[in-house]
Amino acid sequence: MKDMRRLEVPPEKDVFERGSRSLVRAFEVTREEVRRVQTERPELVVSRDDGVMLLQPKRNRAWLCYGFSNLDALRREFKPVFEKLVAALKTGEATRGIFLWFADHPNRPYVEPVLVDCFFELRHEWMEMGLARLPEDTAPTDEIAPGFVLRRASPAEQEAAGAIDVAAFADEAWQVADFVDAAREASEFRVLEERDGARIVGYIGLWLEEGRVGKIDLLGVHPDFRRRGLAETMLRWSLAWFRGQGMRRARLTVHTDNAAAIALYRKLGFTHHRSGLTYRRPTDERELAEMAQKRKGTYVKFGDWR
């Protein structure tokens, strides 16, 4: 008779394996990022028998990741563990709030009340799209359209691109400084310049990821220069650049209400991979107090019952 092996959760020390394989999870983080948090900020990682949770500070925000063995464990452990991690944040850290990327759709009806109890609010819905194979284009050239050049940016030009991004997308939790920080982290960041006026009118930020995947994470064109095909031209340049870097595939994320961008990505061959939600929980005490005040219910007393 053959011995029956029991499938067990990976050892407690391997937080990435436990989180990424949990039945109830929102674990949008790489193995290397988990190791970095464990090494540099061990107080921001909690690993217990029935689940793991960590906060990953990035610039002026923090990203929450969790994995629980079942829904009962999530209901029981989420709030106390989360509050412990929030208390471990340094003063002035995550001033823009704590964010959560969520794609565990079957468990949303059970998880969302737990998130709301911890003052998370839904920010937006997103769609991840992918290109299974990069086109075999020629090497990209900086002169991408008549009168426009796509070139590497100076720090000042990164700020100019950030101003375009903030004005175009109007996200109160995203400011020019956030954009510049992200641009500096990109594997390649370029600005689109109008030759005649020497004016920055667009930008694109690219990342090289594991598995030979290129990620497009920053892309925008000034409103005055839209409907000229410049975004499409920059995207095609990016795909050719990825290929030159040895990448095989590409991916990006877009808000589901951005119909024009989705149509453009589909035109270039990108297909829908998955959808998800972004939640935010403020760290500012005044904002939290305002949220708590809004949530207070009104009670009407009828005899001994209310």
Side-chain angles (χ1 to χ4, degrees):
M1 182 177 177
K2 294 182 178 180
D3 293 336
M4 299 296 292
R5 283 191 170 184
R6 178 185 172 191
L7 296 177
E8 297 181 344
V9 176
E12 181 177 349
K13 62 180 180 182
D14 197 335
V15 173
F16 176 81
E17 287 293 334
R18 296 191 65 212
S20 60
R21 290 171 57 181
S22 295
L23 294 178
V24 182
R25 67 181 182 273
F27 213 76
E28 301 289 331
V29 63
T30 66
R31 186 187 299 274
E32 182 57 36
E33 288 172 329
V34 171
R35 288 174 178 168
R36 188 179 303 118
V37 176
Q38 287 182 291
T39 301
E40 300 175 0
R41 301 291 301 279
E43 71 276 14
L44 295 181
V45 181
V46 173
S47 180
R48 297 181 177 177
D49 291 341
D50 49 9
V52 297
M53 187 181 289
L54 66 86
L55 280 179
Q56 182 188 21
K58 281 189 176 182
R59 298 183 288 276
N60 53 15
R61 60 193 68 198
W63 292 91
L64 175 68
C65 300
Y66 68 79
F68 290 95
S69 57
N70 53 62
L71 289 170
D72 287 339
L74 174 117
R75 295 187 186 100
R76 182 177 62 253
E77 299 288 344
F78 187 100
K79 188 172 184 178
V81 174
F82 174 71
E83 290 178 346
K84 177 180 179 180
L85 294 179
V86 172
L89 287 170
K90 297 178 181 178
T91 302
E93 200 168 35
T95 54
R96 297 289 177 214
I98 298 169
F99 292 77
L100 172 69
W101 270 44
F102 184 86
D104 186 16
H105 297 290
N107 286 321
R108 181 183 176 185
Y110 312 103
V111 175
E112 197 161 60
V114 177
L115 296 177
V116 170
D117 190 41
C118 293
F119 290 94
F120 278 90
E121 289 187 330
L122 179 62
R123 296 275 305 165
H124 55 253
E125 299 183 23
W126 50 265
M127 177 193 302
E128 185 176 282
M129 304 182 74
L131 187 64
R133 184 178 179 181
L134 293 172
E136 296 184 11
D137 291 338
T138 57
T141 59
D142 292 355
E143 195 80 29
I144 66 169
F148 295 91
V149 62
L150 190 64
R151 58 173 177 78
R152 289 179 176 168
S154 68
E157 289 166 339
Q158 290 178 346
E159 291 189 11
I164 294 174
D165 183 271
V166 170
F169 297 106
D171 185 345
E172 65 271 18
W174 178 255
Q175 297 187 354
V176 173
D178 304 317
F179 181 96
V180 172
D181 286 342
R184 289 172 179 168
E185 293 177 1
S187 304
E188 184 79 1
F189 181 82
R190 297 212 169 199
V191 291
L192 181 65
E193 181 184 61
E194 182 193 24
R195 286 291 199 189
D196 291 343
R199 178 183 178 188
I200 303 300
V201 299
Y203 56 85
I204 194 160
L206 310 174
W207 276 254
L208 304 179
E209 299 186 323
E210 295 180 359
R212 300 174 73 176
V213 177
K215 180 184 178 184
I216 303 169
D217 205 34
L218 296 173
L219 172 65
V221 176
H222 193 282
D224 293 346
F225 289 82
R226 290 176 181 169
R227 302 185 184 279
R228 301 189 188 186
L230 295 174
E232 179 178 346
T233 305
M234 285 195 290
L235 282 168
R236 293 187 183 278
W237 182 96
S238 301
L239 299 180
W241 185 84
F242 282 145
R243 189 172 184 84
Q245 301 300 310
M247 301 294 102
R248 291 183 176 178
R249 300 181 301 279
R251 74 181 186 96
L252 52 82
T253 303
V254 58
H255 289 188
T256 55
D257 60 357
N258 193 343
I262 293 172
L264 172 58
Y265 302 146
R266 285 179 173 155
K267 177 182 177 181
L268 296 180
F270 283 84
T271 58
H272 173 254
H273 280 189
R274 61 172 183 158
S275 299
L277 310 165
T278 298
Y279 293 88
R280 174 183 176 266
R281 189 265 195 189
T283 52
D284 179 73
E285 292 298 329
R286 181 177 300 177
E287 188 174 354
L288 286 169
E290 291 175 354
M291 290 177 65
Q293 185 64 33
K294 290 179 181 178
R295 291 184 180 185
K296 284 186 177 180
T298 301
Y299 295 90
V300 180
K301 186 173 181 180
F302 296 92
D304 293 329
W305 178 85
R306 64 175 179 174

